[in-house]
Amino acid sequence: MVRNSTIPVYSLRRQMLRMSWNKYNLFNTTQRARVPNVANKTLYQQKWASKKDTRSYHGDQITERQFQSMFKTRLPTANTKVGGVEPHPPVFSLTFAEMERRLDFIVFRSNFAPSIYAARQLVGHGKVTVNGKPMPYPSHRVTDGDIIQVEPTSVSTLKKAAPKEVEEESGAAVTKAPMEFVPKPFSQPFLFVPDYLEVNYNTCSTCFLRSPISRPGKTEIPSPFPPQMHALAYEFYARNRK
């Protein structure tokens, strides 16, 4: 599924949710019903609608063929007991877990870019390295333990502060221009880091710890959609897998 370029990304009429801090995307998120009314739809229509909505958020810049190559029918989960009760975890929320290994996704999830499109642009322009080596491919999938680093001057929330004189160990005074964090408007609801990433904002780097997992009552992948919609999307792809 690739977004139609003739339709605005943050259309207030269609209300398709995106991986973005944009104010119109935030408005669409608040306006959409948590679970859509599917009373008058067939099972296939429910699956297709759920697939369309979830894919608009989870990688609308990725083609269906690309996603099909990443889709896995076996989903990881952590069956740990909480307070002696072991409810069934929402494993279907991990339908798009493999996407979280993509370089552009990691840059966005680490809050180094205001949208998935900006993250893709940062990677394509050579502003991102993986384990110290330039990696200009947004579709590159990292492995556990990889270190991703972004040039501080390319991070939209970092601005140069007033120059300050810093005394080095040798005793000489050197003038430096430090970077300070300046949040973008309407970005506060999105400024959090998933459990499978470890971010160091002093060095603008991220360590990809492991694949996202699902725990009882909790899933690690940020998503504006409930597990029921992810389950329908999963069934759509599992049934139509080539």
Side-chain angles (χ1 to χ4, degrees):
M1 173 183 169
V2 178
R3 178 176 50 83
N4 189 338
S5 59
T6 61
I7 300 175
V9 179
Y10 310 109
S11 172
L12 299 181
R13 180 177 61 85
R14 298 185 68 200
Q15 293 187 345
M16 306 299 289
L17 307 186
R18 312 293 184 185
M19 292 175 64
S20 172
W21 305 346
N22 186 278
K23 61 182 179 180
Y24 298 111
N25 186 59
L26 180 61
F27 175 81
N28 286 337
T29 303
T30 59
Q31 293 300 306
R32 285 192 55 137
R34 185 62 178 168
V35 179
N37 183 13
V38 295
N40 298 325
K41 293 183 178 179
T42 64
L43 181 58
Y44 178 82
Q45 289 174 332
Q46 294 177 40
K47 292 179 181 179
W48 190 89
S50 297
K51 166 257 183 186
K52 176 176 68 81
D53 289 341
T54 53
R55 279 282 279 118
S56 71
Y57 177 83
H58 296 277
D60 70 308
Q61 80 282 12
I62 301 173
T63 65
E64 283 294 306
R65 179 174 294 181
Q66 287 176 310
F67 175 69
Q68 290 279 2
S69 67
M70 291 185 285
F71 177 73
K72 295 182 178 180
T73 55
R74 294 189 63 182
L75 302 177
T77 182
N79 291 316
T80 55
K81 292 186 177 181
V82 178
V85 180
E86 189 176 351
H88 184 71
V91 293
F92 292 114
S93 297
L94 300 176
T95 300
F96 306 102
E98 197 62 23
M99 284 188 180
E100 300 298 318
R101 287 185 177 272
R102 284 176 55 103
L103 195 53
D104 52 355
F105 272 65
I106 294 173
V107 172
F108 173 74
R109 296 294 192 200
S110 302
N111 301 317
F112 293 139
S115 69
I116 190 66
Y117 317 111
R120 187 181 182 88
Q121 192 175 42
L122 281 179
V123 177
H125 287 178
K127 306 297 183 181
V128 181
T129 62
V130 177
N131 297 327
K133 297 180 180 179
M135 180 57 65
Y137 305 112
S139 60
H140 173 76
R141 280 185 274 176
V142 304
T143 57
D144 295 356
D146 280 355
I147 302 296
I148 299 91
Q149 190 165 15
V150 181
E151 287 187 13
T153 54
S154 301
V155 178
S156 60
T157 53
L158 291 181
K159 306 295 181 184
K160 286 186 178 181
K164 295 181 180 180
E165 284 192 357
V166 179
E167 185 175 346
E168 296 188 335
E169 295 181 357
S170 61
V174 180
T175 301
K176 293 185 177 180
M179 308 288 287
E180 64 177 2
F181 175 72
V182 180
K184 285 183 169 293
F186 308 101
S187 64
Q188 286 79 0
F190 308 99
L191 295 180
F192 59 90
V193 179
D195 293 342
Y196 50 89
L197 299 178
E198 185 174 325
V199 184
N200 186 337
Y201 289 107
N202 292 322
T203 59
C204 292
S205 61
T206 299
C207 179
F208 187 87
L209 302 176
R210 53 171 170 74
S211 295
I213 59 176
S214 178
R215 302 177 186 275
K218 174 186 177 183
T219 182
E220 293 184 345
I221 298 181
S223 179
F225 301 105
Q228 300 95 308
M229 291 188 66
H230 284 269
L232 290 169
Y234 170 85
E235 292 176 8
F236 178 90
Y237 283 111
R239 184 69 180 270
N240 295 279
R241 191 178 186 185
K242 296 180 181 179

